[in-house]
């Protein structure tokens, strides 16, 4: 059914995509109820049904919390088959995306305080997850959530909290650049310079001026006279999990060597041909104002790194599972040594039944890009243009908005590429 969903998403038919997810609810089943809530939340978000989207995000979060208490029966069954028998409780980054998209839902509803509550949950949630592990994950803070928090505080005219969030985002994006190849947003230095100056933080302001000597910025007073368009672009399709197999030798008596196979998951990025996105505003200005949307969250890069961090823990579990199945098949084969068919079946069982858990939140985007364009107040035509690497126009979406003085106008859009 995901191919049907993607077809509708590619045509911007969000209500139809949501109806496909709803139609397949029974096929998700109880073990995949979290995935069903994930997918409904995303399609409803794209359809502009933000309150309903948050209802499903809340359902997913409640279910995930309950799954902290594992089912002994399910775990035992999974040891003899594979992890697909267990209820899906989501990857760590998917659990964080619950709060990221809940915050965005509240943003589009104009509920800044509720959006801030969701954004602030992210760091606490990542701290809780990392406390479970002896070896800490690289993904322990979310820069995009921090940056969004700063923007929301600024929208509420709470500059001190906005500056703190911007400075934290600046620190985390340095780690993002190293770990995921996600550079610092080009608008973030302007935010730091503007808010630190407005707050009279001379030492901090001078420090940022030294760091960013060539960055052009305007004062908070001038900035507040303008309006601002903030555009979120959800690009491409989420990564998918695939199996990769490891063959492990077992040395038995009489110098006999046998082998069993382990299945481990890895995330693969799905290619799209979106190279860059321009946001162009035309209105009460002499010439159109254009800005290229910049990367703020590479979901695929985070997914791949987060899974890689956990692979030692996953491998230990997969080894125990594969060993159990191997020993069981050996015992079964010994008892059925006079029956060739059962002997073959015993040999095949560990291989056929061995597969990793390849479930994931398939309706997430590959990346989230953003544009922040400050403009004089007035009515505007906003053109969003997606281009390929060869500078061919792939897609164009147009909006008509009125941006008031001191207002932040938020728009979100999904494009899968071609």
């Amino acid at each position: 059914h995901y191919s049907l969903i993607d077809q509708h998403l590619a045509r911007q038919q969000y209500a139809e995509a949501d109806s496909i997810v709803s139609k397949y609810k029974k096929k998700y089943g109880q073990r995949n109820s979290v995935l069903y809530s994930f997918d409904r939340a995303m399609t409803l978000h794209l359809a502009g049904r933000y309150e309903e989207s948050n209802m499903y995000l809340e359902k997913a979060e409640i279910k995930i919390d309950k799954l902290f208490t594992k089912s002994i029966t399910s775990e035992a069954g999974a040891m003899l088959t594979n992890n697909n028998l267990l209820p899906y409780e989501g990857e760590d980054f998917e659990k964080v995306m619950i709060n990221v998209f809940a915050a965005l839902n509240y943003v589009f509803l104009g509920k800044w305080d509720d959006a801030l509550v969701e954004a602030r949950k992210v760091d606490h949630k990542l701290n809780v997850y990392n406390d479970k592990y002896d070896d800490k994950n690289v993904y322990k803070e979310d820069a995009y959530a921090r940056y969004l928090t700063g923007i929301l505080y600024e929208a509420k005219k709470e500059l001190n909290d906005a500056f703190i969030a911007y400075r934290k985002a600046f620190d985390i994006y340095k780690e993002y650049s190293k770990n995921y190849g996600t550079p610092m947003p080009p608008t973030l230095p302007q935010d730091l310079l503007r808010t630190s100056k407005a707050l009279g933080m001379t030492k901090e302001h001078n420090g940022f001026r030294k760091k960013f000597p060539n960055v052009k910025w305007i004062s908070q007073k001038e900035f507040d006279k303008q309006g601002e368009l903030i555009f979120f672009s959800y690009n491409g399709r989420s990564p998918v999990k695939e199996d990769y197999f490891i063959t492990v030798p077992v040395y038995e008596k009489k110098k006999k060597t046998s082998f069993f196979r382990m299945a481990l998951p890895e995330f693969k990025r799905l290619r799209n041909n979106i190279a860059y996105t321009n946001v162009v505003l035309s209105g009460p200005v002499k010439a159109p104002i254009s800005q290229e949307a910049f990367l703020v969250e590479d979901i695929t890069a985070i997914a791949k790194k987060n899974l890689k961090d956990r692979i030692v823990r996953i491998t230990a579990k997969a080894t125990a599972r594969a060993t159990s199945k191997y020993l069981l098949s050996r015992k079964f084969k010994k008892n059925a040594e006079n029956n060739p068919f059962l002997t073959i079946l015993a040999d095949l069982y560990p291989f056929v039944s061995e597969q990793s858990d390849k479930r994931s939140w398939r309706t997430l985007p590959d990346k989230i890009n953003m544009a922040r364009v400050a403009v004089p107040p007035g009515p505007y035509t906003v053109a969003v243009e997606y281009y390929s690497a060869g500078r061919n126009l792939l897609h164009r979406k147009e909006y008509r908005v009125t941006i008031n003085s001191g207002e932040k106008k938020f728009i979100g859009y999904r494009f899968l590429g071609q």
Side-chain angles (χ1 to χ4, degrees):
H1 72 291
Y2 281 113
S3 63
L4 295 174
I5 294 170
D6 284 347
Q7 288 174 30
H8 287 301
L9 293 182
R11 300 175 190 135
Q12 292 77 51
Q13 296 171 337
Y14 305 127
E16 290 83 352
D18 182 63
S19 68
I20 294 294
V21 180
S22 179
K23 178 182 175 182
Y24 278 80
K25 181 177 181 178
K26 288 185 178 179
K27 292 195 175 182
Y28 280 85
Q30 282 300 312
R31 286 201 297 268
N32 297 311
S33 62
V34 167
L35 282 177
Y36 176 75
S37 292
F38 280 167
D39 291 337
R40 285 300 307 273
M42 180 55 65
T43 52
L44 287 165
H45 171 82
L46 296 173
R49 293 158 61 182
Y50 304 119
E51 290 180 349
E52 292 173 83
S53 175
N54 270 349
M55 180 184 74
Y56 279 100
L57 289 172
E58 185 179 4
K59 282 184 177 181
E61 196 161 43
I62 291 170
K63 180 70 173 179
I64 288 167
D65 288 342
K66 288 181 179 178
L67 287 172
F68 266 110
T69 305
K70 301 289 186 182
S71 167
I72 297 174
T73 304
S74 295
E75 287 279 6
M79 286 298 290
L80 299 178
T81 53
N82 55 68
N83 279 356
N84 292 286
L85 190 65
L86 299 174
Y88 186 71
E89 60 177 295
E91 296 283 346
D92 288 352
F93 80 92
E94 292 173 342
K95 298 169 190 174
V96 169
M97 287 299 119
I98 290 174
N99 304 109
V100 168
F101 277 93
L104 288 171
N105 281 331
Y106 283 125
V107 163
F108 295 127
L109 289 167
K111 297 182 177 180
W112 312 131
D113 288 333
D114 291 326
L116 281 165
V117 169
E118 294 297 332
R120 286 194 296 259
K121 282 182 182 178
V122 168
D123 280 345
H124 171 71
K125 185 175 279 189
L126 283 169
N127 286 335
V128 170
Y129 295 151
N130 272 286
D131 284 345
K132 296 189 303 180
Y133 310 133
D134 293 329
D135 298 319
K136 304 303 181 187
N137 292 334
V138 165
Y139 184 51
K140 52 183 178 287
E141 292 182 297
D142 193 283
Y144 171 53
R146 284 286 189 177
Y147 194 30
L148 180 60
T149 300
I151 294 169
L152 293 173
Y153 274 128
E154 194 170 6
K156 285 168 53 65
K157 311 301 181 186
E158 297 176 14
L159 286 190
N160 189 64
D161 288 329
F163 172 75
I164 292 169
Y166 286 146
R167 184 170 57 187
K168 188 65 175 177
F170 170 70
D171 292 336
I172 305 170
Y173 269 116
K174 288 188 285 188
E175 295 299 312
Y176 262 42
S177 179
K178 180 175 65 177
N179 295 322
Y180 314 123
T182 301
M184 181 177 62
T187 53
L188 185 51
Q190 300 169 28
D191 300 323
L192 290 164
L193 289 163
R194 183 180 66 250
T195 54
S196 62
K197 180 68 173 178
L199 291 165
M201 295 179 170
T202 305
K203 182 179 178 181
E204 290 84 352
H205 180 75
N206 289 338
F208 286 121
R209 288 191 68 174
K210 288 180 181 179
K211 282 186 174 72
F212 313 117
N214 300 318
V215 170
K216 295 180 179 179
W217 58 284
I218 59 175
S219 70
Q220 193 70 42
K221 186 176 180 180
E222 290 300 311
F223 186 75
D224 288 341
K225 289 179 182 178
Q226 297 184 322
E228 187 179 23
L229 175 78
I230 300 173
F231 177 77
F232 301 107
S233 182
Y234 316 126
N235 291 0
R237 293 181 293 160
S238 66
V240 296
K241 286 178 184 171
E242 295 181 357
D243 281 326
Y244 71 93
F245 294 96
I246 299 175
T247 302
V248 180
V250 178
Y251 302 101
E252 301 185 64
K253 295 178 181 179
K254 299 178 181 180
K255 297 183 180 180
K256 181 182 177 182
T257 303
S258 298
F259 297 89
F260 66 84
R261 188 176 68 161
M262 289 194 310
L264 298 171
E266 62 179 344
F267 273 111
K268 294 288 187 180
R269 190 187 295 271
L270 296 179
R271 293 186 178 276
N272 67 68
N273 58 346
I274 304 169
Y276 61 97
T277 306
N278 277 340
V279 179
V280 184
L281 283 80
S282 304
V285 286
K286 291 182 180 179
I289 300 172
S290 177
Q291 185 183 106
E292 184 175 328
F294 46 85
L295 179 64
V296 288
E297 189 89 307
D298 189 332
I299 293 174
T300 297
I302 291 171
K304 289 167 70 73
K305 183 65 176 175
N306 190 232
L307 185 58
K308 186 177 180 181
D309 283 348
R310 295 194 302 110
I311 206 66
V312 172
R313 299 188 287 273
I314 294 171
T315 302
K317 192 172 181 179
T319 302
R321 183 181 68 236
T323 303
S324 297
K325 288 192 289 187
Y326 171 77
L327 294 174
L328 181 64
S329 70
R330 292 287 294 161
K331 184 177 180 180
F332 186 77
K333 185 176 179 180
K334 184 177 180 180
N335 294 334
E337 58 186 7
N338 295 324
N339 188 323
F341 174 76
L342 293 179
T343 300
I344 294 171
L345 192 64
D347 285 334
L348 287 175
Y349 162 69
F351 289 90
V352 174
S353 65
E354 180 63 10
Q355 57 178 287
S356 67
D357 187 347
K358 294 185 287 295
R359 294 171 292 180
S360 63
W361 188 349
R362 292 281 297 274
T363 49
L364 281 172
D366 170 31
K367 298 176 180 178
I368 301 177
N369 285 28
M370 184 168 72
R372 295 187 66 183
V373 189
V375 291
Y380 286 88
T381 297
V382 180
V384 183
E385 301 170 339
Y386 292 85
Y387 290 90
S388 69
R391 298 187 178 182
N392 296 314
L393 180 64
L394 301 172
H395 182 66
R396 190 175 192 271
K397 176 69 176 178
E398 212 170 83
Y399 301 89
R400 285 179 173 80
V401 299
T402 297
I403 303 175
N404 299 315
S405 177
E407 178 188 22
K408 295 188 188 297
K409 181 76 73 174
F410 294 89
I411 298 175
Y413 190 67
R414 179 76 181 266
F415 182 55
L416 268 62
Q418 295 178 352

